[in-house]
Amino acid sequence: MGPVGVGIAGLGVVGSGTVNVLTRNADEITRRAGRDIRVVTAAVRDLERERDCDVSGIELTTDPMKVATSPDVEVVVELMGGEGVALEVVMAAIAAGKHVVTANKALIASHGNEIFKAAQDAGVTVAFEPAVAGGIPIIKAIREGLAGNRVEWLAGIINGTSNFILTAMADGEGTFDDVLAEAQRLGYAEADPTFDVEGVDAAHKLTILASIAFGIPLQFDKVYIEGISKLAGVDVDYASELGFTIKHLGIAARRDNGIELRVHPTLIPKRRLIANVDGVMNAVLVCGDAVGQTLHYGAGAGADATASAVVADIVDVVRALTTDPDNRVPHLAFQPGKLADLPILDVNESRTAYYIRIAAVNRPGVLAEVTRVFGDSNISIETILQKGSGKSEEVLPIILLTQRTIEKNIDQAIEKLESLDDIVGSVVRLRVEHLSE
Ligand code: NDP
Ligand code: HSE
């Protein structure tokens, strides 16, 4: 059989990386796929821009629709990003009977339900391994490797840019803005980097992971989202003193009354492997009832690492070109008619432990007042730490770690604390996950 024609919409960081990996490892890839894979056309915005890959033999166009519908293309690889033109391109490719590979988590998280329905009806595959955790084959691991399990929960460092910044903060290196600029220079950040630092990108990825882990529809709008932009260096330091590292985690957990979906900065005990995942590296911890915990680690962003996942998807698609569409691995791991309608819980119903930092006037009885507030809200305190010189009337930080409780209890306690005369300003609250059970 002749080569499989591939069209790539977008030749930026990931697109160029994909061409490079396909070229560099062509022989190995052909031996795996059973056919040569040839990039025949690619779409870019600027035809004059120099590319980080060899584009000789690739027909360049500024019209991604041409890539989506070209008769020479069997597999369309969408690497432009965004939800506008990218959605049109993917739907046009499906309508033209092409298989699709995409790295676009925003697209899958927000429009995946309609995309997969269209793909199912057209008998084509839409593969999206590179959309979550860069080069880590986490989609395949959950969808196929853990198919015998009832997944109980998963927790992951799933944004490389945020982890790159948090690692620098913990090491006391560079300002937030400088480190973010470096992540952008290295090609890790999204076109709009607020998606990284405000947690939106991690929420896109968590939406996808939760869907394939629990067999539920994609529900991005129900994820609780908090990024790292407001995290204070002082909390990174106090957390460290208490034996914790702060990581930006995406957490999806099965509870008796529904599913928790939340992304936020999280204190993790330093002794956990995942607490030691630094820089652009990602890791996803998955807990299944049969296997227990599995940890999946690797580069979460960057040209070659992400290209590794793009090419793996292309190989999968090529291997399946001649198979019966009804016998392929379902897009969202569970058969399309078998997705469960489990409720997504509001964040105030979620259960976790908390790190609380309070600025309090150093007066006799203040500590007793603070602990009484927690007792009244039915929250047990695990650790309490008072910092400072001990001078009377000075404003000093009090740091507390609580035991697990329901978030609405903490909200109630914080409201009461902030109304006390001896408490100054806002109370800082961060969530703590022990990731042990
Ligand atoms: P880049 O901005 O580097 O590349 C985007 C490419 O798409 C560019 O080549 C651009 O053309 C082209 N493009 C954009 N819009 C159009 C359009 N309307 N018509 C034609 N071409 C267009 O992005 P990345 O490579 O970093 O990211 C691509 C996708 O991969 C995104 O969905 C991202 O979220 C995802 N991703 C990125 C990772 C990373 O590490 N960077 C990791 C995992 C996923 P031109 O070059 O001419 O401007
Ligand atoms: N901006 C993303 C990140 C790219 O930093 O993780 C990989 O999805």
Side-chain angles (χ1 to χ4, degrees):
M1 277 227 233
V4 176
V6 169
I8 303 185
L11 270 192
V13 173
V14 183
S16 298
T18 298
V19 172
N20 288 333
V21 172
L22 281 172
T23 309
R24 190 166 75 227
N25 298 339
D27 289 347
E28 296 275 301
I29 291 166
T30 300
R31 282 169 58 213
R32 290 192 170 107
R35 306 232 337 240
D36 280 345
I37 292 167
R38 192 165 300 160
V39 180
V40 291
T41 181
V44 294
R45 267 180 305 221
D46 180 358
L47 289 171
E48 303 305 318
R49 180 180 293 176
E50 207 177 307
R51 301 288 149 190
D52 291 332
C53 61
D54 181 0
V55 290
S56 53
I58 302 176
E59 190 191 346
L60 295 185
T61 170
T62 54
D63 182 1
M65 280 302 190
K66 278 195 182 154
V67 171
T69 55
S70 163
D72 300 327
V73 167
E74 278 183 85
V75 183
V76 174
V77 182
E78 186 282 302
L79 302 173
M80 296 186 302
E83 296 176 40
V85 181
L87 178 60
E88 288 170 27
V89 165
V90 166
M91 294 308 262
I94 293 170
K98 322 274 188 205
H99 300 276
V100 174
V101 174
T102 179
N104 191 335
K105 48 272 165 142
L107 184 71
I108 296 297
S110 301
H111 304 281
N113 297 322
E114 67 176 288
I115 290 172
F116 296 137
K117 168 81 174 66
Q120 168 89 3
D121 292 347
V124 297
T125 297
V126 175
F128 52 95
E129 183 67 71
V132 182
I136 307 175
I138 188 65
I139 301 296
K140 196 175 261 293
I142 297 176
R143 195 166 54 184
E144 298 171 48
L146 299 178
N149 286 262
R150 173 184 154 97
V151 175
E152 301 296 350
W153 56 265
L154 59 85
I157 295 171
I158 46 180
N159 183 266
T161 302
S162 293
N163 204 40
F164 191 73
I165 296 171
L166 284 181
T167 304
M169 273 173 92
D171 293 346
E173 288 168 1
T175 65
F176 189 101
D177 290 344
D178 288 348
V179 183
L180 173 58
E182 177 67 357
Q184 288 178 291
R185 192 188 65 74
L186 292 167
Y188 303 155
E190 293 303 297
D192 175 356
T194 61
F195 275 42
D196 296 290
V197 297
E198 299 301 348
V200 178
D201 178 73
H204 286 143
K205 292 165 177 165
L206 186 72
T207 303
I208 299 170
L209 289 176
S211 180
I212 60 167
F214 304 125
I216 55 175
L218 295 148
Q219 296 165 82
F220 169 66
D221 55 335
K222 305 230 174 100
V223 183
Y224 171 77
I225 307 175
E226 207 178 294
I228 61 163
S229 64
K230 296 190 180 65
L231 186 66
V234 69
D235 294 311
V236 175
D237 295 342
Y238 288 147
S240 178
E241 222 176 290
L242 291 162
F244 292 85
T245 302
I246 300 185
K247 292 292 182 189
H248 190 255
L249 284 192
I251 297 165
R254 192 193 288 276
R255 305 288 182 217
D256 292 343
N257 50 346
I259 303 284
E260 284 182 19
L261 286 183
R262 47 193 167 93
V263 303
H264 48 70
T266 312
L267 277 78
I268 312 172
K270 283 183 187 174
R271 62 183 179 281
R272 299 267 171 269
L273 278 176
I274 197 168
N276 297 288
V277 170
D278 287 336
V280 74
M281 304 310 273
N282 280 192
V284 184
L285 197 49
V286 187
C287 184
D289 70 329
V291 72
Q293 290 190 12
T294 58
L295 180 65
H296 309 259
Y297 169 84
D304 273 24
T306 311
S308 163
V310 175
V311 174
D313 269 355
I314 296 174
V315 169
D316 257 6
V317 165
V318 170
R319 283 173 174 154
L321 281 177
T322 52
T323 59
D324 171 5
D326 288 337
N327 291 326
R328 294 187 190 136
V329 179
H331 289 108
L332 292 175
F334 292 70
Q335 296 299 330
K338 298 287 178 191
L339 295 187
D341 192 17
L342 296 172
I344 307 299
L345 301 175
D346 191 275
V347 70
N348 69 18
E349 296 292 335
S350 60
R351 283 188 72 81
T352 188
Y354 292 85
Y355 161 103
I356 303 287
R357 174 164 58 83
I358 303 161
V361 180
N362 189 19
R363 265 189 213 132
V366 172
L367 219 47
E369 256 187 306
V370 167
T371 52
R372 191 176 323 114
V373 167
F374 282 93
D376 289 348
S377 296
N378 216 10
I379 301 165
S380 303
I381 296 171
E382 193 155 286
T383 308
I384 190 158
L385 192 70
Q386 189 166 19
K387 307 292 289 184
S389 62
K391 279 190 211 140
S392 184
E393 301 299 311
E394 199 180 356
V395 176
L396 298 175
I398 299 174
I399 293 103
L400 291 121
L401 293 179
T402 76
Q403 291 186 350
R404 269 162 68 99
T405 184
I406 298 178
E407 178 125 339
K408 62 182 164 205
N409 291 350
I410 280 287
D411 291 342
Q412 191 189 57
I414 289 177
E415 202 182 314
K416 281 191 211 157
L417 286 168
E418 288 179 345
S419 70
L420 296 178
D421 289 345
D422 291 337
I423 302 300
V424 182
S426 304
V427 170
V428 172
R429 163 248 309 267
L430 293 167
R431 297 167 186 86
V432 180
E433 294 285 349
H434 291 272
L435 303 175
S436 52
E437 78 262 47

